[in-house]
Amino acid sequence: MTPPALFQDEAPKTPQRQLRNRYDGRDKVTGKAKYSAEFPVEDVTYAYIVQSTIPKGALVSIDQTAAGKASGVLAILTPFNAPKLPVASPQPPARRHITVLQEKDIFYNGQPIAVVVARSLLEAMQAATLLKITYKSQPAQLEFKGRLAEARPPKQPGREPADSKRGDISTSLSNSAVTIDVVYTTPIQNHNPMEPHATIAWWEGEKLNVYDATQYITGDRQTLARTFGIPVDDVRVQCPFVGGGFGSKGSTWSHVVLAAMAAKVVGKPVKLALERGQMFGPVGSRPTTAQNVKLGATADGKLLAIQHDVIVHTSLMEDFLEPSAMQTRFLYNSESNVTSHRMVEMNLGVGTYQRAPGEATGTIALECAMDELAHKLNIDPVQLRLINYAEKDPSKDRPWTEKSLRQCYTDAADRFGWSKRNPQPGQLREDNNLIGYGMATATYGANRSAASAIVRILPNGRAYIGCGTQDLGTGAYTVLAQACAQGLGIDPALVDVQLGDSNLPKAPVSGGSQSTASIGPAAAAAATQAKLKLFELAVNDSQSPLHGLQAASLDTQDGKVFAKSSPNKSDTVTAILQRAGGQPIEATASAEPGEDRTAYTSQSFGAVFAEVAVDIDTHMVQVRRIVATYDIGTLVNQKTGINQLQGGIVWGVSSALHEEAHIDPTHGRTVNETLAEYHVPVNADIGTIDVTVTGIPDTKFNPLGARGIGEIGITGAAAAIGNAIYNATGKRIRDYPITLDKIMQA
């Protein structure tokens, strides 16, 4: 199925087409694209972070005598000599994930406790080994599963309440013909983008310049200004390319501030790039979860009760909630619905956003529990979901801006061949493999924030668009080029795009699947305003064939301005600008969610089907194919959009079968903090991925009709794989990831 798209690809010479290739693709494959640690900054020095080796306690002393005499060392910063910041903490009291040598207390193993600055990285690393550090250790809280009874409510739950309740859950459960009461667990997961965190910082007087690997240049700018007590306009953050972020680069972490602090101390530019092992702890992780799901239904599959109680771990430094029960509040209809979130404090680094925070883990528990219910009821899992289909948002009792989940179920099931599935586990064998089919629902919220963009129509017939957003590899360059081109009526190949600079018009964080939905309308609005200015020049130009016409009667296409009532009456853009003095036309515009956003719920949905093969002898699992259809509104660009959905599914395979951080129960350090031991899928682990979208525009959500797609791909995928493993083996594994030893022991 070929979905309709905002920029059609059928007519390559029309301005309404998609870019077939990524705008930034050539720069990336040829090495022209520069990432934050790669910029050539004159006289740059190198910093290395020293981390604590105890999980709890305090620093007694750091003897830097030997380290200070080491080759190339320029400065050593510790809590005993670091410059004091204008405020006690760079964040309000409840936001302490930035630890920048302002206190001696230790909250987790791996906490930054010193920074060594030297002429080279090797010299900085060598000097760091010469520091003599004395601690006063204290007993640490490193147990999660054994302390679930100690769980407390979140201090800062977020935009939505931590708990919710509709109906009488006890009565609904007692009236149910069939009930399910299960606990699913998910582990700590760590971000491992190709590009680790990196910062280059330097000062020009009292003005701070930073190259930083970030998902939020505006947020970086604001945090740095607040931390150092300087005006926001005195901070410039640049990040033209990000080598993957997935949430970890959405916050400003300690190394960013420490690089700027070190640059101030040594009076030279400082580069601070984290090692792979330093990505485990100081820059966040997805918290572990224990999720109790209770379902109650009538004999014919009608849900009466849904209860989803979540316990997560959180740092003693600061609360971060993995809101795993949020989707459970609205995904299916039931007369009663109860959800809760609780936290167990631990001496670990602060958690953070990781692709689809909440939904990625929450759909594992909910969608596997739904599969368990379907099996117990002897009802097809797809049919069970259709029986309980929510035509409107039951949590807020309001309509969706658009929902085509039924179509997703039908389309994906047909392409997958779901009708061939044997509902009885362990019945399909192929050679030495047991074959299983599983499915799950995918979902993620549709978010949108205020954004601005600047557009220039250039005298040479090209156009320029600038926006203070960032491209994580998701396609922001491509989307902006297309939006500008459509607004101006030119080929997208004629648009020059600039982003990744905080001096450009503001845009939101690249998180929450909101970038395209936010910057796209802003780009279109700026292009429209620039085009209107062009029309005014034409109608007021006595030498133009369009002189005297009304601006509203004109349009543009292929570099020409023409009268809509008489297309042969036209003038070229280059001629109009040349006669007007040869200067560009410029317009800046903003776009933000409408006032009626509380009247509807905007949500994306999908249906994911998985086929697995489980070796009878080794219990190794191979995901042979995944078929999915998503309801995400308009697909703005075929290549970048499908790439994101495929990437999310790959991460779903990782969550299902591979990914898990192991914490030393005594010392609190992640023991598998390398890519050799922190397992993620490789090409051999991924089978066929068949993805499509419904392509139905959601114009109630935004003018593009497009909802974000960066995160929905991971949701539901791990549950579909778990359900397929059950169908293959008859073994229900509720402790993720599903590894061969767990299948063997089940």
Side-chain angles (χ1 to χ4, degrees), residues 250-323:
S251 302
T252 303
W253 296 97
S254 304
H255 65 277
V256 184
V257 176
L258 290 173
M261 179 188 291
K264 189 75 167 177
V265 170
V266 301
K268 296 175 180 290
V270 169
K271 178 188 293 189
L272 203 172
L274 298 190
E275 296 178 314
R276 179 62 61 182
Q278 293 177 323
M279 298 283 291
F280 290 74
V283 292
S285 60
R286 192 195 299 277
T288 188
T289 75
Q291 305 178 54
N292 183 197
V293 178
K294 298 178 182 179
L295 303 176
T298 62
D300 58 0
K302 176 62 179 174
L303 281 168
L304 299 179
I306 302 176
Q307 183 171 344
H308 193 168
D309 298 310
V310 179
I311 300 177
V312 306
H313 95 262
T314 193
S315 173
L316 281 161
M317 300 176 68
E318 173 189 330
D319 274 9
F320 176 81
L321 177 63
E322 174 82 0

Side-chain angles (χ1 to χ4, degrees), residues 241-455:
F241 296 99
V242 186
F246 311 109
S248 73
K249 295 174 183 172
S251 302
T252 303
W253 296 97
S254 304
H255 65 277
V256 184
V257 176
L258 290 173
M261 179 188 291
K264 189 75 167 177
V265 170
V266 301
K268 296 175 180 290
V270 169
K271 178 188 293 189
L272 203 172
L274 298 190
E275 296 178 314
R276 179 62 61 182
Q278 293 177 323
M279 298 283 291
F280 290 74
V283 292
S285 60
R286 192 195 299 277
T288 188
T289 75
Q291 305 178 54
N292 183 197
V293 178
K294 298 178 182 179
L295 303 176
T298 62
D300 58 0
K302 176 62 179 174
L303 281 168
L304 299 179
I306 302 176
Q307 183 171 344
H308 193 168
D309 298 310
V310 179
I311 300 177
V312 306
H313 95 262
T314 193
S315 173
L316 281 161
M317 300 176 68
E318 173 189 330
D319 274 9
F320 176 81
L321 177 63
E322 174 82 0
S324 302
M326 292 300 178
Q327 75 288 320
T328 306
R329 298 176 180 180
F330 58 77
L331 199 50
Y332 303 110
N333 271 326
S334 65
E335 66 178 26
S336 297
N337 184 296
V338 172
T339 67
S340 70
H341 296 86
R342 297 291 181 267
M343 316 182 99
V344 173
E345 294 180 342
M346 298 179 67
N347 283 105
L348 297 175
V350 176
T352 196
Y353 310 99
Q354 191 160 335
R355 201 170 196 169
E359 289 87 351
T361 49
T363 52
I364 288 176
L366 176 63
E367 291 301 293
C368 287
M370 286 289 287
D371 195 75
E372 295 197 48
L373 180 63
H375 183 75
K376 200 168 184 179
L377 287 165
N378 196 27
I379 294 177
D380 182 88
V382 176
Q383 184 60 28
L384 177 64
R385 287 160 173 82
L386 291 172
I387 291 171
N388 298 286
Y389 192 86
E391 297 289 356
K392 64 178 182 178
D393 178 0
S395 67
K396 294 182 171 64
D397 192 28
R398 63 192 189 193
W400 312 104
T401 50
E402 189 277 329
K403 183 181 181 181
S404 302
L405 179 55
R406 288 184 187 275
Q407 183 174 333
C408 295
Y409 289 137
T410 301
D411 180 76
D414 288 346
R415 296 195 342 270
F416 183 81
W418 181 253
S419 60
K420 300 176 183 178
R421 168 184 176 269
N422 189 327
Q424 294 304 312
Q427 300 303 304
L428 182 57
R429 180 167 177 167
E430 185 179 297
D431 298 326
N432 202 50
N433 292 314
L434 293 171
I435 309 301
Y437 290 176
M439 63 82 55
T441 303
T443 189
Y444 192 77
N447 300 306
R448 182 185 173 197
S449 298
S452 301
I454 183 171
V455 166

